[in-house]
Amino acid sequence: KKKDKPIARMEIAIEMTNQPRVVTSILTAETPKGPGDILEAVVQIDGYGAFRVPKRYLKTDKQEGAQMQPITIADAKVEKKTITLQGRPLNVIDVIATDAQGRKIKAAVSEDVPPLALVSCETEDLRMQLDAWGLDAKTRIDSKPKSMCCWIFGL
């Protein structure tokens, strides 16, 4: 909690062939609809120290809303099941559906992994996988974050 409001930390690691891994750790307000305003963001590129993203870059345009793409669920295959992830049982809903362009999407979601509830997602372009969740999750950021200006100038 921060100022008596629920918060959540999400960490996203992006790994691409022949590129250094980039880890972004985000502290966000937790709302009934999922993540709210971003309160803090820290980025670390493999081989470099971490930096804190200035707050002015964390503001979102409330008029724009989320950039979500709808999926067609009329023809979706939906299956509830329990999986084991990191030695812990997790209730998930597997969904196979199509996006607005007719491309196949496979996803697994669970209300037990807030704030996004996303366990995995796979399309022809990307694959996302939940590695850890809850109070036992460990960060992949291995250095104390600097301000972005100090990071850029190597101070």
Side-chain angles (χ1 to χ4, degrees):
K1 289 192 170 203
K2 190 171 189 174
K3 296 183 181 177
D4 290 326
K5 294 183 180 179
I7 56 173
R9 181 162 302 276
M10 297 187 303
E11 197 164 282
I12 301 107
I14 299 173
E15 299 177 11
M16 296 171 45
T17 307
N18 300 321
Q19 297 292 324
R21 178 181 64 180
V22 178
V23 177
T24 303
S25 180
I26 300 167
L27 185 65
T28 179
E30 193 172 350
T31 73
K33 293 182 179 183
D37 292 337
I38 297 173
L39 308 172
E40 173 187 278
V42 173
V43 176
Q44 185 171 16
I45 302 166
D46 271 359
Y48 299 90
F51 66 87
R52 208 172 289 102
V53 177
K55 290 193 184 292
R56 68 180 172 269
Y57 296 121
L58 303 180
K59 301 204 183 301
T60 58
D61 182 355
K62 299 291 183 187
Q63 299 293 336
E64 233 178 73
Q67 299 298 314
M68 301 289 179
Q69 295 293 323
I71 62 169
T72 305
I73 59 170
D75 62 348
K77 178 183 172 193
V78 178
E79 178 185 357
K80 291 183 180 181
K81 64 182 184 181
T82 301
I83 64 169
T84 301
L85 186 60
Q86 291 193 336
R88 295 163 56 187
L90 184 62
N91 295 318
V92 299
I93 301 170
D94 270 343
V95 178
I96 299 174
T98 56
D99 68 10
Q101 289 77 37
R103 295 177 299 188
K104 187 174 172 182
I105 296 174
K106 291 198 265 181
V109 295
S110 175
E111 291 183 350
D112 297 331
V113 290
L116 290 180
L118 189 60
V119 176
S120 66
C121 180
E122 188 172 341
T123 70
E124 62 186 48
D125 300 323
L126 67 89
R127 186 176 62 82
M128 294 172 32
Q129 178 69 43
L130 176 70
D131 285 333
W133 77 99
L135 298 175
D136 294 334
K138 304 289 186 244
T139 183
R140 290 189 181 181
I141 293 180
D142 61 11
S143 69
K144 183 178 177 183
K146 296 180 177 183
S147 74
M148 192 166 81
C149 285
C150 287
W151 183 85
I152 290 170
F153 293 113
L155 302 175

